[in-house]
Amino acid sequence: GQNIDQPTEMTATEGAIVQINCTYQTSGFNGLFWYQQHAGEAPTFLSYNVLDGLEEKGRFSSFLSRSKGYSYLLLKELQMKDSASYLCAAYSNDYKLSFGAGTTVTVRA
Amino acid sequence: DSGVTQTPKHLITATGQRVTLRCSPRSGDLSVYWYQQSLDQGLQFLIQYYNGEERAKGNILERFSAQQFPDLHSELNLSSLELGDSALYFCASSVDGEDTQYFGPGTRLTVL
């Protein structure tokens, strides 16, 4: 089965850093995706981690620890447009992508 | 714009009816996925097709069915609709079914 947990909401100030944690219990785990979703819109791909460690992509970084079943998404230099829901998703070897409920990030001026 | 297209954008229908949602994947992508997203639940995986064949099945109701055609577009059929079927339905595509999925804009279904 799949169990993915992430906080429901986070609030941060423009220019700050926010870290969104995700823990997963996924049988046949292959890798961990992060998607961004603005309300009423399609999820857009942010990152995919297969190996342990940190991957940096501009203002966004993602970390994975397979042994701990843990990942985080780090958003730096927050901008108002970063206010959105961030979805953690575990990919398993039965070709299924299981999503967490999402973390709503609100960026305040 | 992800390159995945979905029609229609909005659909309003009544309980007991049947609807068909359509998806065209990105050029070159062989795999198509369907997801349901309702207010009280996250994105729920329904079904995946790869090059015309069903590859994986999630929490798809028996009232729902899907297929992928030779030109790789896909249709999701929802029948005997209930109020609880009201949701956003997303289609996603990927190159080989094991890589990054790119999502279409979704179809918002309202069942009255």
Side-chain angles (χ1 to χ4, degrees):
Chain A
Q2 322 295 351
N3 190 25
I4 298 164
D5 288 311
Q6 51 182 130
T8 305
E9 293 179 338
M10 300 184 76
T11 302
T13 307
E14 201 173 10
I17 298 173
V18 70
Q19 177 173 315
I20 306 169
N21 297 322
C22 171
T23 57
Y24 62 89
Q25 291 173 310
T26 301
S27 50
F29 177 78
N30 267 352
L32 199 291
F33 283 90
W34 284 96
Y35 283 83
Q36 180 194 60
Q37 186 178 26
H38 287 97
E41 297 182 9
T44 54
F45 169 75
L46 291 178
S47 66
Y48 180 39
N49 293 66
V50 177
L51 303 176
D52 284 358
L54 184 69
E55 293 205 6
E56 299 187 72
K57 206 185 276 187
R59 294 188 299 113
F60 293 3
S61 303
S62 57
F63 172 85
L64 176 67
S65 168
R66 295 176 71 107
S67 62
K68 294 182 180 174
Y70 168 70
S71 173
Y72 68 72
L73 180 70
L74 196 68
L75 315 180
K76 293 180 272 191
E77 300 167 24
L78 278 172
Q79 302 175 9
M80 299 300 287
K81 66 179 182 179
D82 297 330
S83 292
S85 182
Y86 291 85
L87 310 175
C88 169
Y91 186 63
S92 49
N93 58 14
D94 58 356
Y95 307 110
K96 293 177 185 175
L97 190 59
S98 300
F99 282 85
T103 299
T104 299
V105 171
T106 302
V107 181
R108 296 186 301 198
Chain B
D1 185 353
S2 67
V4 179
T5 61
Q6 288 186 249
T7 56
K9 195 171 174 63
H10 301 278
L11 197 49
I12 301 174
T13 188
T15 54
Q17 295 298 304
R18 171 189 165 95
V19 297
T20 298
L21 312 184
R22 183 188 168 102
C23 168
S24 292
R26 296 184 319 158
S27 176
D29 284 1
L30 296 178
S31 198
V32 168
Y33 313 75
W34 287 98
Y35 292 87
Q36 179 192 57
Q37 187 175 41
S38 49
L39 278 174
D40 57 347
Q41 292 188 0
L43 267 170
Q44 299 291 318
F45 168 69
L46 295 178
I47 198 164
Q48 180 199 5
Y49 282 85
Y50 175 76
N51 206 20
E53 300 288 325
E54 181 185 305
R55 178 180 263 188
K57 217 168 192 175
N59 301 321
I60 187 166
L61 300 171
E62 285 198 13
R63 301 184 285 110
F64 296 1
S65 65
Q67 55 183 326
Q68 186 180 28
F69 294 87
D71 67 352
L72 301 177
H73 90 273
S74 178
E75 293 180 356
L76 178 67
N77 299 296
L78 316 176
S79 61
S80 303
L81 284 168
E82 302 174 359
L83 294 177
D85 297 328
S86 295
L88 260 173
Y89 290 84
F90 287 106
C91 168
S93 74
S94 72
V95 175
D96 61 8
E98 297 184 37
D99 59 329
T100 300
Q101 296 179 28
Y102 293 90
F103 284 76
T107 293
R108 182 172 292 282
L109 174 67
T110 302
V111 183
L112 300 174

PDB file of all heavy atoms in Angstrom, chain B residues 3 8 29 34 45 52 56 72 78-79 82 93 98 104 112:
ATOM      1  N   GLY B   3       1.444  20.812 -23.210  1.00  0.00           N
ATOM      2  CA  GLY B   3       1.329  20.092 -24.472  1.00  0.00           C
ATOM      3  C   GLY B   3       0.269  19.008 -24.435  1.00  0.00           C
ATOM      4  O   GLY B   3      -0.049  18.417 -25.470  1.00  0.00           O
ATOM      5  N   PRO B   8     -13.964  18.268 -22.784  1.00  0.00           N
ATOM      6  CA  PRO B   8     -14.156  19.714 -22.698  1.00  0.00           C
ATOM      7  C   PRO B   8     -13.492  20.290 -21.453  1.00  0.00           C
ATOM      8  O   PRO B   8     -13.014  19.535 -20.604  1.00  0.00           O
ATOM      9  CB  PRO B   8     -15.678  19.829 -22.604  1.00  0.00           C
ATOM     10  CG  PRO B   8     -16.090  18.583 -21.880  1.00  0.00           C
ATOM     11  CD  PRO B   8     -15.151  17.510 -22.342  1.00  0.00           C
ATOM     12  N   ASP B  29       4.664  11.156 -26.704  1.00  0.00           N
ATOM     13  CA  ASP B  29       4.400  10.406 -25.474  1.00  0.00           C
ATOM     14  C   ASP B  29       3.530   9.193 -25.776  1.00  0.00           C
ATOM     15  O   ASP B  29       2.532   9.293 -26.495  1.00  0.00           O
ATOM     16  CB  ASP B  29       3.696  11.286 -24.440  1.00  0.00           C
ATOM     17  CG  ASP B  29       4.651  12.261 -23.778  1.00  0.00           C
ATOM     18  OD1 ASP B  29       5.848  12.260 -24.129  1.00  0.00           O
ATOM     19  OD2 ASP B  29       4.188  13.026 -22.903  1.00  0.00           O
ATOM     20  N   TRP B  34      -5.018   8.837 -16.135  1.00  0.00           N
ATOM     21  CA  TRP B  34      -6.188   9.600 -15.713  1.00  0.00           C
ATOM     22  C   TRP B  34      -6.199   9.701 -14.190  1.00  0.00           C
ATOM     23  O   TRP B  34      -5.933   8.712 -13.482  1.00  0.00           O
ATOM     24  CB  TRP B  34      -7.476   8.936 -16.192  1.00  0.00           C
ATOM     25  CG  TRP B  34      -7.719   9.088 -17.659  1.00  0.00           C
ATOM     26  CD1 TRP B  34      -7.452   8.189 -18.652  1.00  0.00           C
ATOM     27  CD2 TRP B  34      -8.292  10.226 -18.307  1.00  0.00           C
ATOM     28  NE1 TRP B  34      -7.822   8.693 -19.872  1.00  0.00           N
ATOM     29  CE2 TRP B  34      -8.350   9.939 -19.690  1.00  0.00           C
ATOM     30  CE3 TRP B  34      -8.789  11.455 -17.854  1.00  0.00           C
ATOM     31  CZ2 TRP B  34      -8.865  10.841 -20.626  1.00  0.00           C
ATOM     32  CZ3 TRP B  34      -9.301  12.355 -18.783  1.00  0.00           C
ATOM     33  CH2 TRP B  34      -9.336  12.046 -20.150  1.00  0.00           C
ATOM     34  N   PHE B  45      -5.191   8.412  -8.507  1.00  0.00           N
ATOM     35  CA  PHE B  45      -4.858   7.745  -9.756  1.00  0.00           C
ATOM     36  C   PHE B  45      -5.993   6.798 -10.155  1.00  0.00           C
ATOM     37  O   PHE B  45      -6.471   6.002  -9.347  1.00  0.00           O
ATOM     38  CB  PHE B  45      -3.555   6.963  -9.574  1.00  0.00           C
ATOM     39  CG  PHE B  45      -3.233   6.013 -10.689  1.00  0.00           C
ATOM     40  CD1 PHE B  45      -2.886   6.488 -11.939  1.00  0.00           C
ATOM     41  CD2 PHE B  45      -3.279   4.646 -10.478  1.00  0.00           C
ATOM     42  CE1 PHE B  45      -2.585   5.607 -12.969  1.00  0.00           C
ATOM     43  CE2 PHE B  45      -2.983   3.764 -11.498  1.00  0.00           C
ATOM     44  CZ  PHE B  45      -2.638   4.238 -12.751  1.00  0.00           C
ATOM     45  N   GLY B  52      -1.596   1.969 -26.127  1.00  0.00           N
ATOM     46  CA  GLY B  52      -2.860   1.322 -26.435  1.00  0.00           C
ATOM     47  C   GLY B  52      -3.295   0.232 -25.467  1.00  0.00           C
ATOM     48  O   GLY B  52      -4.449  -0.218 -25.519  1.00  0.00           O
ATOM     49  N   ALA B  56      -1.757  -0.043 -15.755  1.00  0.00           N
ATOM     50  CA  ALA B  56      -1.946  -0.016 -14.297  1.00  0.00           C
ATOM     51  C   ALA B  56      -3.333   0.528 -13.986  1.00  0.00           C
ATOM     52  O   ALA B  56      -3.866   1.361 -14.716  1.00  0.00           O
ATOM     53  CB  ALA B  56      -0.881   0.842 -13.624  1.00  0.00           C
ATOM     54  N   LEU B  72      -3.117   7.317 -30.090  1.00  0.00           N
ATOM     55  CA  LEU B  72      -2.646   7.550 -28.720  1.00  0.00           C
ATOM     56  C   LEU B  72      -3.508   8.498 -27.896  1.00  0.00           C
ATOM     57  O   LEU B  72      -3.231   8.679 -26.702  1.00  0.00           O
ATOM     58  CB  LEU B  72      -1.178   8.024 -28.694  1.00  0.00           C
ATOM     59  CG  LEU B  72      -0.193   7.044 -29.332  1.00  0.00           C
ATOM     60  CD1 LEU B  72       1.214   7.622 -29.314  1.00  0.00           C
ATOM     61  CD2 LEU B  72      -0.216   5.704 -28.609  1.00  0.00           C
ATOM     62  N   LEU B  78     -17.523   7.976 -18.117  1.00  0.00           N
ATOM     63  CA  LEU B  78     -18.111   7.927 -16.779  1.00  0.00           C
ATOM     64  C   LEU B  78     -19.605   7.723 -16.950  1.00  0.00           C
ATOM     65  O   LEU B  78     -20.273   8.521 -17.629  1.00  0.00           O
ATOM     66  CB  LEU B  78     -17.847   9.237 -16.022  1.00  0.00           C
ATOM     67  CG  LEU B  78     -16.423   9.828 -16.116  1.00  0.00           C
ATOM     68  CD1 LEU B  78     -16.360  11.170 -15.393  1.00  0.00           C
ATOM     69  CD2 LEU B  78     -15.409   8.876 -15.527  1.00  0.00           C
ATOM     70  N   SER B  79     -20.147   6.666 -16.357  1.00  0.00           N
ATOM     71  CA  SER B  79     -21.568   6.381 -16.553  1.00  0.00           C
ATOM     72  C   SER B  79     -22.297   6.321 -15.208  1.00  0.00           C
ATOM     73  O   SER B  79     -21.670   6.287 -14.148  1.00  0.00           O
ATOM     74  CB  SER B  79     -21.741   5.063 -17.303  1.00  0.00           C
ATOM     75  OG  SER B  79     -21.185   4.001 -16.559  1.00  0.00           O
ATOM     76  N   GLU B  82     -23.079  10.044 -10.395  1.00  0.00           N
ATOM     77  CA  GLU B  82     -23.597  10.389  -9.076  1.00  0.00           C
ATOM     78  C   GLU B  82     -23.048  11.759  -8.679  1.00  0.00           C
ATOM     79  O   GLU B  82     -22.059  12.234  -9.238  1.00  0.00           O
ATOM     80  CB  GLU B  82     -23.165   9.330  -8.057  1.00  0.00           C
ATOM     81  CG  GLU B  82     -23.606   7.931  -8.404  1.00  0.00           C
ATOM     82  CD  GLU B  82     -23.053   6.877  -7.461  1.00  0.00           C
ATOM     83  OE1 GLU B  82     -22.298   7.248  -6.524  1.00  0.00           O
ATOM     84  OE2 GLU B  82     -23.368   5.682  -7.653  1.00  0.00           O
ATOM     85  N   SER B  93       0.484  12.719 -19.443  1.00  0.00           N
ATOM     86  CA  SER B  93       1.172  11.818 -20.362  1.00  0.00           C
ATOM     87  C   SER B  93       2.664  11.793 -20.059  1.00  0.00           C
ATOM     88  O   SER B  93       3.203  12.710 -19.431  1.00  0.00           O
ATOM     89  CB  SER B  93       0.919  12.207 -21.818  1.00  0.00           C
ATOM     90  OG  SER B  93       1.631  13.370 -22.197  1.00  0.00           O
ATOM     91  N   GLU B  98       7.290   5.527 -17.479  1.00  0.00           N
ATOM     92  CA  GLU B  98       8.053   5.394 -16.245  1.00  0.00           C
ATOM     93  C   GLU B  98       8.782   6.680 -15.890  1.00  0.00           C
ATOM     94  O   GLU B  98       9.609   6.693 -15.001  1.00  0.00           O
ATOM     95  CB  GLU B  98       9.083   4.262 -16.391  1.00  0.00           C
ATOM     96  CG  GLU B  98       8.443   2.908 -16.620  1.00  0.00           C
ATOM     97  CD  GLU B  98       9.463   1.795 -16.662  1.00  0.00           C
ATOM     98  OE1 GLU B  98      10.440   1.850 -15.907  1.00  0.00           O
ATOM     99  OE2 GLU B  98       9.275   0.876 -17.463  1.00  0.00           O
ATOM    100  N   GLY B 104      -2.481  17.687 -18.250  1.00  0.00           N
ATOM    101  CA  GLY B 104      -3.335  18.572 -19.024  1.00  0.00           C
ATOM    102  C   GLY B 104      -4.081  19.526 -18.105  1.00  0.00           C
ATOM    103  O   GLY B 104      -3.995  19.416 -16.888  1.00  0.00           O
ATOM    104  N   LEU B 112     -25.312  17.438 -11.312  1.00  0.00           N
ATOM    105  CA  LEU B 112     -26.383  18.088 -10.546  1.00  0.00           C
ATOM    106  C   LEU B 112     -27.525  17.115 -10.253  1.00  0.00           C
ATOM    107  O   LEU B 112     -27.717  16.140 -11.000  1.00  0.00           O
ATOM    108  CB  LEU B 112     -26.921  19.291 -11.328  1.00  0.00           C
ATOM    109  CG  LEU B 112     -25.874  20.381 -11.640  1.00  0.00           C
ATOM    110  CD1 LEU B 112     -26.494  21.443 -12.528  1.00  0.00           C
ATOM    111  CD2 LEU B 112     -25.365  21.004 -10.343  1.00  0.00           C
TER     112      LEU B 112
END
